[in-house]
Amino acid sequence: LEFRRVLFRSAVVAHHLSDPALAGRPLALAGFSFGGYVAAQAVSRLKQAAADQPVVRAPSTVVLVSPAASRFEVPTVPAHTLVVQGETDDVVPLSAILDWARPQQLPVTVVPGAGHFFHGQLGGLRDIVLRRVPGVLREGLYAVPALIGSTVIVVAYEVDQVTMAWYVTAFLACLVIRIIGMAFHVNLPVAPVP
């Protein structure tokens, strides 16, 4: 399973690098938990490839949320990487993240009281991530992903089925829609100034 996920992520990155429509566009990688490990692996491989092939670019933005440092050997990442960790995470303990980040002198943003899935704090997590991405409020989708993510949670409460899957779905919906907005320069219409 791990190999398939790494292979899939590598295929997505390879597509980004080979598609002429995406040439020159920035590459951002993000991952949560095991996905953080996979994203770090992809960053490491892209960095090596960029040294050998000028057409290959390393990602300009890297975001890792609770990367699985207690379960896998997560490689070294660039100094500009945003690492976010829940203080009370019982799946990937804060101590494991700090032990991994310390030799790299990599700052870690700790969300007080947050567990692995950031229950009740996904909005704050979203804001931490979006503050790091340049120009986030000037262009691209911003409010739409937040509204869709919050709608997912409201639906979960309405059908009385609030589970971890709903929270993860809401977070991923926000993240994916936001990244699509940035990658493809999607903007909502702006009212004309009178």
Side-chain angles (χ1 to χ4, degrees), residues 4 6 8-10 38 40 80 97 100 105-107 125 134 136 149 158 165-167 169 184-185:
R4 286 183 187 164
V6 171
F8 174 74
R9 180 64 58 98
S10 298
V38 173
H80 69 275
I97 296 297
W100 166 74
Q105 296 183 327
L106 187 65
L125 175 60
V136 70
E158 286 298 315
W166 285 94
Y167 287 108
T169 300
F184 296 103
H185 303 286

Side-chain angles (χ1 to χ4, degrees), residues 49-115:
D52 300 332
Q53 304 171 31
V55 294
V56 176
R57 293 178 329 276
S60 57
T61 302
V62 181
V63 178
L64 305 177
V65 179
S66 300
S70 62
R71 299 169 185 260
F72 301 97
E73 190 173 326
V74 179
T76 300
V77 294
H80 69 275
T81 300
L82 172 61
V83 179
V84 184
Q85 179 66 23
E87 176 188 26
T88 61
D89 190 330
D90 60 343
V91 176
V92 180
L94 176 58
S95 60
I97 296 297
L98 295 175
D99 290 344
W100 166 74
R102 191 174 295 112
Q104 303 177 65
Q105 296 183 327
L106 187 65
V108 176
T109 301
V110 178
V111 179

Side-chain angles (χ1 to χ4, degrees), residues 122-139:
L122 289 175
L125 175 60
R126 179 203 62 222
D127 292 344
I128 290 167
V129 172
L130 294 180
R131 272 195 300 262
R132 181 53 91 67
V133 179
V136 70
L137 295 176
R138 291 187 298 275
E139 61 184 47

Side-chain angles (χ1 to χ4, degrees), residues 40-58:
Q41 286 288 343
V43 169
S44 178
R45 291 178 184 173
L46 281 169
K47 188 176 176 184
Q48 290 171 355
D52 300 332
Q53 304 171 31
V55 294
V56 176
R57 293 178 329 276

